[in-house]
C-alpha cells in the first residue's frame, strides 16, 4: 500500500483563494501567523503524517488494540508515534496560549488534522477527543479545574474522552441512567456503564480524563436532568502529580468493522462504589456543556469523512495508473492500456476528486467561521459568523461523511476484484469510513438539526444570507465560456434550495413529519449549493491567476482545478436537480404501509 502524501498545494489554495484565510490573519490574535509560518506548518504536518503515522495505518488494522489484565495495549508503534506527536507540539497547535498551546487559528489546525487523519484515522481519533475536553473545560470549568487539567490536555500528555452513550439510550441521551451521588467534600461518586467510548482506555498517555454524563439524585427526567462530570483515570494530587487509580475500568472492547486500532470501550464506573467525579458547569447543565464538545466533535467527524475520501482517492489514482487491462477506446499505444484511460474509471476518479475538493472547502469555511465567530472584534460580525458556523456544522458532518463512504466505495470499485482483497489496503479505507455517518449524531439527526433548528435560527437570517451571497456571486461571475453551464446549474440548485427551505419552514407550523421526511434530501441539496459556490470561487480564482500570469509555475494545477470544478458542476451537480421534489414530497409515502405489512 502506498503511503499517504499530504496535498499541501491543494490545501494552501483553498486557504488562500477559496475561503480567504488572510482576512482572519489580520485579526489581533493571529497577526504573527505569517505566510511562511503557515507554509511551514503545512509542510511539517504533511511530513510527520506521511513518515510517522501513515506507516502504522495497516499495522493498526491488522493488530488492533487488545484488552489485557493491566489495560488496553495499542498496536506496535502507536505509543512511540504518539509521544513524538506530543513532543513535536502537534496536539497544542490551536490550544490556548495561557495553557501552553500555540494559539493558531482553528482553520489551520483543521488542515493539520486533515493530514494526520488521512494518514491514520484510528490514531488521530485519540487526540481529537482531547480537543473536546479542552473546549468544555475552557467554556465551563472552574478556575481550579482549568488549572488542574488544561495544560496536560493541551499538550497531549493526558488524553480526553466523551462518555455519553449507554446500552438502553443510544442517540436518546435523555434515557441515560448513570448516577452521580454528591459527597460531603463536594465531589460525586459515579456509578454506571457507558458503551462506544473511543479511546476510553489505552497505554499511549499517562492519564485519561473522562467527561461523563450522569444524573444526580432527584434530577428532572430526560435531558433536563443531566449533568457533566470530570472523571480522571488517575486522581490528581494537590501538587499536580498522579495519585491513586480511580474506580473505573474498561470491561471489554467492541469487535468492529473497522478502525481496529482505536479501542472502542465498554466503560464501567464505580464497581467498588468509589469512582470520584467532579461536577463541571453546574447540576442539570450537562447538555449545554455536552454541546460545547459535540459541535467540535461533529466538525472533526466531517474531517474524518474528508480524510477517507482523500486517502481513497490517492490509492485509487495510484492503482489506476499502474493497472493495465484491456484496450482503451481510441488508444493507439501498443499492448494493454492503464485502466485510468477507460471512461468509467475516469468517471469514478473525477467524481472522487471533485467531491473531495468540494467537501474540503466546506469544512475549511466552517472552521474559518468558528475562528471569526470567536475572535473578530466587532460583536455583530462575530454573531453572523457564529450563525454561519451553526448552519455549516451539520452540512460538514453529514455531507463530509456521506461522501467519505461513497468515495471510498468508488475507490474500491476502481480496484475491481482486487479492491475486495484485504492485501491491497483499500478495503480498510472503506471499512474505517463506515462509522463516520453514525458518529456524534447520525446523519439523519444532522439533517433534522439543519431543518428543525438551523433554518429557523434568528428568523432564518443565516441561510438566507448564505444563499443571497451565492446568488450575488453567480450574478457577478466573469464571463468564462467554459463555466457557463456550471453557472446555470448552480443558479438552478440555489433557487431550488431557497424554495425548499421556505417550504420546510412553512411545514414547521403544520406538519413536522413532513419536515422530517424532507430533511435528508434537503441537507444534500444545501450541501451541494455550498460546495458549488465554493468550487465556483476556486475556478474563478484559478482563471484569474492564469490570466494575470501569477500562477508561479502552477499553470497545470490551475487548469486541472478549472476542469475539476467543471466536472463537479456538470456531472455531479445535476444529481441535485430532483432533490427539491423529494424535499417537498411530504411524509405520506413513508407511512403508506402499516408496520405489520412491511415484510409483505
Amino acid at each position: 500500500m502506498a503511503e499517504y502524501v499530504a496535498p499541501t498545494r491543494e490545501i494552501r489554495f483553498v486557504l488562500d483563494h477559496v475561503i480567504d484565510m488572510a482576512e482572519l490573519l489580520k485579526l489581533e490574535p493571529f497577526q504573527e501567523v505569517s505566510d511562511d509560518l503557515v507554509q511551514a506548518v503545512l509542510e511539517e504536518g504533511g511530513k510527520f503524517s506521511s513518515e510517522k503515522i501513515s506507516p502504522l495505518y495497516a499495522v493498526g488494522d491488522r493488530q488492533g488494540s487488545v484488552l489485557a489484565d493491566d489495560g488496553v495495549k495499542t498496536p506496535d508503534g502507536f505509543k512511540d508515534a504518539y509521544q513524538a506527536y506530543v513532543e513535536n507540539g502537534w496536539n497544542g497547535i490551536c490550544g490556548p496560549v495561557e495553557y501552553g498551546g500555540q494559539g493558531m487559528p482553528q482553520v489551520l489546525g483543521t488542515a493539520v488534522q486533515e493530514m494526520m487523519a488521512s494518514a491514520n484515522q484510528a490514531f488521530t481519533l485519540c487526540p481529537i477527543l482531547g480537543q473536546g475536553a479542552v473546549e468544555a473545560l475552557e467554556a465551563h470549568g472552574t478556575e481550579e479545574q482549568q488549572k488542574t487539567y488544561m495544560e496536560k490536555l493541551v499538550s497531549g500528555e493526558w488524553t480526553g474522552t466523551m462518555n455519553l452513550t449507554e446500552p438502553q439510550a443510544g442517540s436518546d441521551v435523555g434515557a441515560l441512567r448513570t448516577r452521580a451521588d454528591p459527597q460531603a467534600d463536594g465531589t460525586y461518586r459515579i456509578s454506571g456503564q457507558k458503551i462506544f467510548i473511543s479511546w476510553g482506555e489505552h497505554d499511549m498517555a499517562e492519564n485519561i480524563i473522562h467527561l461523563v454524563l450522569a444524573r444526580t439524585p432527584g434530577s428532572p427526567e430526560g435531558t433536563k436532568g443531566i449533568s457533566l462530570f470530570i472523571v480522571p483515570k488517575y486522581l490528581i494530587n494537590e501538587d499536580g502529580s498522579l495519585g491513586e487509580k480511580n474506580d473505573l475500568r474498561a470491561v471489554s472492547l467492541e469487535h468492529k468493522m473497522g478502525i481496529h486500532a482505536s479501542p472502542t470501550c465498554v466503560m464501567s464506573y464505580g464497581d467498588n462504589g468509589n469512582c470520584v467525579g467532579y461536577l463541571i458547569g453546574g447540576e442539570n447543565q450537562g447538555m449545554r456543556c455536552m454541546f460545547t464538545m459535540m459541535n467540535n466533535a461533529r466538525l472533526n467527524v466531517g474531517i474524518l469523512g474528508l480524510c477517507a475520501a482523500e486517502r481513497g482517492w490517492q490509492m485509487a489514482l495510484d492503482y489506476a495508473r499502474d493497472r493495465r487491462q484491456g484496450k482503451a477506446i481510441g488508444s493507439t499505444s501498443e499492448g494493454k492500456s492503464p485502466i485510468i484511460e477507460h471512461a468509467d474509471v475516469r468517471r469514478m476518479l473525477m467524481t472522487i476528486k471533485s467531491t473531495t475538493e468540494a467537501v474540503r472547502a466546506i469544512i475549511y469555511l466552517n472552521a474559518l467561521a468558528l475562528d471569526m465567530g470567536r475572535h473578530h472584534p466587532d460583536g455583530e460580525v462575530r454573531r453572523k459568523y457564529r450563525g454561519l458556523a451553526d448552519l455549516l456544522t451539520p452540512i460538514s458532518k453529514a455531507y463530509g461523511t456521506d461522501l467519505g463512504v461513497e468515495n471510498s466505495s468508488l475507490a474500491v470499485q476502481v480496484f475491481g476484484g482486487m479492491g475486495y482483497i484485504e492485501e491491497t489496503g483499500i478495503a480498510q479505507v472503506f471499512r474505517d469510513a463506515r462509522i463516520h455517518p453514525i458518529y456524534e449524531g447520525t446523519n439523519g439527526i444532522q439533517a433534522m438539526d439543519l431543518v428543525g433548528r438551523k433554518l429557523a435560527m434568528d428568523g432564518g437570517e443565516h441561510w438566507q444570507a448564505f444563499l443571497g451571497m451565492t446568488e450575488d456571486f453567480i450574478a457577478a461571475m466573469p464571463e468564462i465560456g467554459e463555466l457557463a453551464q456550471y453557472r446555470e446549474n448552480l443558479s438552478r440548485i440555489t433557487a431550488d434550495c431557497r424554495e425548499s427551505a421556505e417550504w420546510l419552514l412553512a411545514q414547521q407550523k403544520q406538519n413536522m413529519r413532513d419536515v422530517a421526511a424532507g430533511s435528508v434530501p434537503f441537507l444534500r441539496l444545501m450541501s451541494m449549493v455550498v460546495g458549488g459556490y465554493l468550487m465556483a470561487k476556486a475556478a474563478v480564482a484559478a482563471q484569474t491567476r492564469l490570466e494575470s500570469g501569477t500562477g508561479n509555475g502552477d499553470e497545470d494545477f490551475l487548469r486541472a482545478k478549472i476542469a475539476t470544478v467543471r466536472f463537479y458542476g456538470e456531472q455531479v451537480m445535476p444529481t441535485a436537480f430532483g432533490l427539491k421534489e423529494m424535499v417537498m414530497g411530504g411524509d405520506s409515502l413513508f407511512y403508506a404501509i402499516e408496520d405489520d405489512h412491511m415484510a409483505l
Side-chain angles (χ1 to χ4, degrees):
M1 183 197 315
E3 298 301 345
Y4 166 75
V5 178
T8 52
R9 179 166 57 177
E10 167 66 21
I11 289 171
R12 190 69 198 261
F13 182 86
V14 175
L15 293 175
D16 291 346
H17 302 291
V18 180
I19 67 165
D20 194 13
M21 187 175 70
E23 286 300 307
L24 173 68
L25 300 185
K26 293 177 183 177
L27 301 185
E28 192 278 330
F30 306 123
Q31 288 180 0
E32 295 184 5
V33 182
S34 65
D35 284 348
D36 288 344
L37 179 57
V38 170
Q39 190 63 30
V41 168
L42 294 179
E43 289 177 359
E44 289 303 313
K47 182 178 179 181
F48 185 89
S49 299
S50 61
E51 293 182 0
K52 294 293 185 182
I53 57 177
S54 181
L56 302 176
Y57 182 63
V59 173
D61 187 59
R62 290 194 301 269
Q63 293 185 1
S65 288
V66 179
L67 181 61
D69 291 340
D70 57 346
V72 170
K73 303 299 181 185
T74 52
D76 292 346
F78 268 58
K79 187 173 181 179
D80 289 342
Y82 185 77
Q83 293 307 310
Y85 173 87
V86 171
E87 290 168 5
N88 282 276
W90 293 114
N91 199 72
I93 187 171
C94 297
V97 174
E98 59 268 35
Y99 295 106
Q102 299 171 46
M104 298 281 188
Q106 183 169 345
V107 68
L108 184 56
T110 295
V112 171
Q113 189 166 304
E114 179 200 332
M115 294 186 286
M116 300 287 181
S118 295
N120 193 329
Q121 78 153 276
F123 175 93
T124 309
L125 273 170
C126 183
I128 281 176
L129 291 161
Q131 294 175 18
V134 167
E135 286 216 342
L137 280 161
E138 188 174 24
H140 307 292
T142 65
E143 183 177 349
E144 181 180 357
Q145 289 170 342
Q146 292 171 349
K147 181 180 177 181
T148 301
Y149 300 103
M150 285 284 282
E151 186 173 335
K152 297 285 190 179
L153 283 168
V154 167
S155 71
E157 293 171 80
W158 297 350
T159 63
T161 71
M162 297 194 322
N163 281 241
L164 283 60
T165 308
E166 298 181 9
Q168 79 289 344
S171 296
D172 182 11
V173 179
L176 67 82
R177 299 172 186 161
T178 297
R179 287 180 54 87
D181 294 302
Q183 305 297 302
D185 63 357
T187 65
Y188 290 75
R189 292 299 177 268
I190 310 299
S191 58
Q193 190 175 93
K194 299 286 186 178
I195 63 171
F196 301 155
I197 308 307
S198 297
W199 290 95
E201 169 60 23
H202 61 85
D203 59 357
M204 297 203 306
E206 63 181 11
N207 204 3
I208 305 171
I209 310 304
H210 301 283
L211 295 183
V212 181
L213 290 180
R215 295 187 179 280
T216 55
S219 62
E221 294 184 0
T223 56
K224 293 182 179 179
I226 294 173
S227 301
L228 183 66
F229 298 87
I230 302 167
V231 186
K233 176 181 176 180
Y234 289 98
L235 301 176
I236 316 301
N237 297 321
E238 288 188 9
D239 64 359
S241 62
L242 297 186
E244 64 183 26
K245 188 177 184 303
N246 210 350
D247 182 15
L248 58 89
R249 64 190 179 100
V251 176
S252 63
L253 301 185
E254 302 292 354
H255 299 279
K256 308 187 299 289
M257 178 178 178
I259 53 170
H260 297 146
S262 173
T264 303
C265 303
V266 176
M267 298 296 298
S268 184
Y269 294 92
D271 289 353
N272 301 307
N274 195 33
C275 180
V276 180
Y278 307 90
L279 180 67
I280 177 173
E283 285 198 22
N284 303 325
Q285 298 299 310
M287 292 301 290
R288 181 171 68 96
C289 298
M290 184 197 75
F291 272 104
T292 300
M293 299 186 288
M294 187 63 75
N295 287 332
N296 176 293
R298 285 174 173 172
L299 178 57
N300 286 338
V301 173
I303 296 170
L304 295 179
L306 164 62
C307 296
E310 176 64 32
R311 180 110 196 189
W313 154 250
Q314 292 192 15
M315 294 174 68
L317 179 62
D318 286 347
Y319 185 81
R321 284 169 167 167
D322 291 341
R323 171 67 170 163
R324 291 181 174 271
Q325 185 172 318
K327 191 82 168 177
I329 296 172
S331 174
T332 58
S333 301
E334 293 292 329
K336 297 180 179 180
S337 301
I339 64 171
I340 196 171
E341 295 182 10
H342 295 293
D344 187 52
V345 173
R346 281 291 179 125
R347 175 191 64 83
M348 291 187 287
L349 289 173
M350 287 298 291
T351 299
I352 300 170
K353 177 176 171 60
S354 64
T355 54
T356 299
E357 291 182 14
V359 165
R360 177 179 289 113
I362 293 171
I363 287 171
Y364 284 24
L365 178 62
N366 195 341
L368 180 84
L370 288 169
D371 280 323
M372 296 290 274
R374 290 190 189 113
H375 300 292
H376 199 282
D378 187 307
E380 181 60 16
V381 174
R382 288 198 305 274
R383 186 188 69 82
K384 289 181 178 180
Y385 272 107
R386 285 197 294 267
L388 176 61
D390 285 339
L391 181 70
L392 291 178
T393 296
I395 291 171
S396 295
K397 194 277 179 180
Y399 190 51
T401 59
D402 280 345
L403 285 179
V405 172
E406 292 169 24
N407 285 345
S408 58
S409 179
L410 277 177
V412 172
Q413 190 73 12
V414 170
F415 275 73
M418 293 304 296
Y420 208 65
I421 306 302
E422 287 288 352
E423 283 78 2
T424 61
I426 192 62
Q428 181 187 347
V429 182
F430 181 57
R431 287 187 287 102
D432 287 354
R434 191 57 193 85
I435 187 60
H436 302 155
I438 300 170
Y439 265 158
E440 311 304 349
T442 65
N443 285 356
I445 291 173
Q446 304 306 312
M448 276 303 297
D449 177 48
L450 177 63
V451 303
R453 294 181 63 243
K454 304 304 174 54
L455 285 185
M457 183 180 293
D458 295 331
E461 171 188 350
H462 305 296
W463 70 265
Q464 292 187 54
F466 190 88
L467 292 189
M469 179 174 63
T470 302
E471 290 159 348
D472 290 345
F473 184 85
I474 294 169
M477 279 181 70
E479 294 296 331
I480 302 173
E482 58 187 354
L483 292 177
Q485 188 63 52
Y486 188 101
R487 183 178 183 175
E488 181 180 330
N489 291 352
L490 179 57
S491 180
R492 176 176 172 178
I493 66 170
T494 303
D496 285 353
C497 188
R498 182 177 289 281
E499 186 178 350
S500 297
E502 291 169 349
W503 184 86
L504 288 165
L505 286 171
Q507 296 311 301
Q508 287 188 11
K509 302 173 183 177
Q510 300 174 33
N511 183 359
M512 277 303 295
R513 213 161 67 172
D514 276 348
V515 177
S519 62
V520 170
F522 179 78
L523 188 146
R524 176 56 70 105
L525 175 59
M526 187 154 195
S527 299
M528 294 184 73
V529 170
V530 179
Y533 162 69
L534 294 171
M535 291 288 273
K537 287 190 69 178
V540 170
Q543 185 67 32
T544 300
R545 294 188 72 200
L546 284 171
E547 291 177 351
S548 65
T550 58
N552 299 324
D554 284 344
E555 287 80 7
D556 289 342
F557 169 81
L558 296 171
R559 292 188 187 95
K561 173 63 66 178
I562 294 170
T564 302
V565 170
R566 286 190 61 198
F567 189 93
Y568 187 81
E570 298 177 35
Q571 292 291 319
V572 178
M573 212 182 287
T575 63
F577 288 168
L579 290 175
K580 181 182 76 171
E581 285 68 28
M582 294 172 66
V583 173
M584 299 168 62
D587 71 307
S588 59
L589 286 176
F590 287 51
Y591 299 92
I593 302 175
E594 296 294 330
D595 297 359
D596 293 343
H597 299 164
M598 290 288 282
L600 299 180

